Amino acid sequence: MTARIIDGKALSDQVKAQVSQRVDELKARGITPGLAVVLVGEDPASQVYVRNKAAACEKAGLHSRVIRLAADIGEEQLLDLVRDLNHDASVHGILVQLPLPKHMNSSKVIETIAAGKDVDGFHISNAGLLMTGQPLFRPCTPYGIMKMLESENVSLWGAEAVVVGASNIVGKPMAMLMLAAGATVTLCNSKTRDLGAQTRRADVLVVATGKPGMVTGDMIKPGAVVIDVGINRNEQGKLVGDVDFESARKVASAITPVPGGVGPMTIAMLLVNTLEAAERSAVQVPVTQ
Ligand code: GUN
């Protein structure tokens, strides 16, 4: 078997075109959706991500404001900035790029973002809403993966889904979304014994470990759908995922490439979340802290 390649770039373009249309409708009502992106420090990968997020916003007609702060800024100054953004009516979404410098408490910073503007879906209220089946903002990467599965007509109802990597950003919300869609979900972590025995049960396998090539073809059930969240650089400087693509594609029925798979969808769903925050602001008093 040679797996079908799931084209995240093409799907993200479709999603972004739909966003753009809804942005125009909102603008006609006098509201321009606005995203504030806060970047603390000089982390090279974060700088690239933030630049891409801002560019995608502008292209789809949303307003973006990137606020760059020095790595040694005090936590209280960052919290004050977030509080100001919470009260700024032109800002519908707030994203503080992670990781933050070590002297900062990321949870405290995230919890200071107004839950109604938390377009990352990382706030404890949004995590709780997701867990109880009433999501407000779904974290962008798992949300994008759900869109990909839907567009590929992959049914999760009664399926065995295995997620490798249990982060708050990807693995845990991914498990919740697939559970809500009717899958039997196994969430693996770095302590999982005999990882292959778990992954080989998966009809749908999502890998988000940050370890290049960690899942190989022999760990995949023939015909499984494989979603690779990893973005790593190998020794040759080439971008690779957490799945060994060459061996996996011989076993899977469908697989996401790196690059061009999950990555573009993450940004597209950030636009969706920001647009929906702005749409809600048009009919509701904004949620602030
Ligand atoms: N760092 C890596 N991924 C993300 C993300 O989705 N959101 C934020 N805020 N930081 C990140």
Side-chain angles (χ1 to χ4, degrees), residues 53 95-98 120 122:
K53 288 171 185 178
L95 180 157
V96 177
Q97 187 66 26
L98 302 176
D120 264 326
F122 296 167

Side-chain angles (χ1 to χ4, degrees), residues 57-269:
C57 275
E58 299 298 333
K59 196 158 173 233
L62 294 89
H63 175 68
S64 75
R65 192 194 314 172
V66 178
I67 302 153
R68 293 187 169 80
L69 302 171
D72 60 357
I73 189 180
E75 185 178 272
E76 212 31 63
Q77 274 173 285
L78 176 59
L79 295 178
D80 280 343
L81 169 69
V82 169
R83 288 184 197 110
D84 286 347
L85 295 171
N86 285 345
H87 291 101
D88 184 334
S90 71
V91 172
H92 303 99
I94 303 169
L95 180 157
V96 177
Q97 187 66 26
L98 302 176
L100 284 169
K102 297 236 173 335
H103 67 280
M104 289 192 180
N105 178 339
S106 301
S107 303
K108 191 168 170 192
V109 174
I110 291 166
E111 268 34 290
T112 302
I113 298 172
K117 295 191 177 188
D118 167 41
V119 286
D120 264 326
F122 296 167
H123 191 287
I124 201 160
S125 302
N126 285 317
L129 287 169
L130 179 65
M131 183 162 205
T132 51
Q134 323 157 68
L136 180 66
F137 294 111
R138 297 159 182 86
C140 302
T141 298
Y143 193 10
I145 292 170
M146 293 302 283
K147 280 268 168 221
M148 287 175 128
L149 295 174
E150 192 187 304
S151 95
E152 290 288 314
N153 294 315
V154 175
S155 172
L156 287 163
W157 196 255
E160 288 283 343
V162 177
V163 180
V164 187
S167 69
N168 289 338
I169 293 180
V170 181
K172 288 184 205 166
M174 187 78 249
M176 288 301 137
L177 288 170
M178 294 204 290
L179 184 66
T184 300
V185 181
T186 304
L187 183 52
C188 301
N189 59 41
S190 56
K191 288 106 198 154
T192 298
R193 275 185 273 129
D194 195 356
L195 183 63
Q198 301 296 334
T199 57
R200 271 188 292 274
R201 294 185 9 256
D203 301 311
V204 177
L205 177 61
V206 179
V207 187
T209 61
K211 298 202 172 71
M214 188 177 179
V215 167
T216 46
D218 59 308
M219 297 166 74
I220 296 169
K221 175 161 117 176
V225 174
V226 178
I227 307 290
D228 188 351
V229 181
I231 304 178
N232 314 286
R233 279 204 191 272
N234 69 9
E235 300 89 60
Q236 290 84 45
K238 188 174 164 245
L239 281 184
V240 295
D242 295 348
V243 175
D244 177 50
F245 187 77
E246 283 314 314
S247 61
R249 71 185 303 192
K250 297 191 178 93
V251 188
S253 64
I255 186 167
T256 59
V258 177
V262 173
M265 286 304 293
T266 296
I267 293 191
M269 302 325 287

Side-chain angles (χ1 to χ4, degrees), residues 7-46:
D7 188 344
K9 173 74 176 65
L11 181 60
S12 76
D13 286 343
Q14 279 177 31
V15 173
K16 286 193 255 184
Q18 288 159 5
V19 166
S20 205
Q21 199 176 341
R22 281 165 69 186
V23 167
D24 288 346
E25 285 162 19
L26 209 51
K27 280 182 170 170
R29 296 164 59 194
I31 297 166
T32 300
L35 174 68
V37 181
V38 182
L39 174 60
V40 185
E42 317 269 291
D43 180 72
S46 291

